[in-house]
Amino acid sequence: MAELRTDKARQGRTGRPVLYVLIAGLALCLVVFIGLQFYNASQPDQNINGVEASDTTAAPATPTSTQTGVVSPSAPVSGTTNSAN
């Protein structure tokens, strides 16, 4: 079997090409990020019909029904049928 020398058994040249690719990729990412920031700043606000958005929400409306919400076994719930035999 042929003997391999360690200085000839490399896959590629050593040096700076990998560093250049990494720096170019990082620069491209920064360009895209800055472009997205400008695009986002140029979009209109989500303010529809002049209504200001608030960070608080209105309380839910209270039910106006006169039922108490208590159901006993002798009184069926309205809208259901008693199918017990």
Side-chain angles (χ1 to χ4, degrees), residues 26-39:
L26 182 62
L28 183 62
C29 287
L30 287 173
V31 167
V32 169
F33 179 75
I34 291 170
L36 285 174
Q37 294 299 318
F38 279 118
Y39 175 74

Side-chain angles (χ1 to χ4, degrees), residues 44-65:
D45 292 336
Q46 296 300 320
N47 184 357
I48 299 173
N49 295 331
V51 178
E52 289 293 327
S54 67
D55 54 348
T56 59
T57 57
T62 57
T64 58
S65 98

Side-chain angles (χ1 to χ4, degrees), residues 73-84:
S74 63
V77 177
S78 63
T80 62
T81 58
N82 192 357
S83 62

Side-chain angles (χ1 to χ4, degrees), residues 5-47:
R5 293 182 11 196
T6 57
D7 59 339
K8 296 284 186 180
R10 299 186 186 274
Q11 287 184 343
R13 295 184 317 190
T14 59
R16 298 185 187 250
V18 174
L19 180 63
Y20 295 146
V21 170
L22 291 175
I23 290 174
L26 182 62
L28 183 62
C29 287
L30 287 173
V31 167
V32 169
F33 179 75
I34 291 170
L36 285 174
Q37 294 299 318
F38 279 118
Y39 175 74
N40 187 31
S42 69
Q43 294 298 309
D45 292 336
Q46 296 300 320
N47 184 357

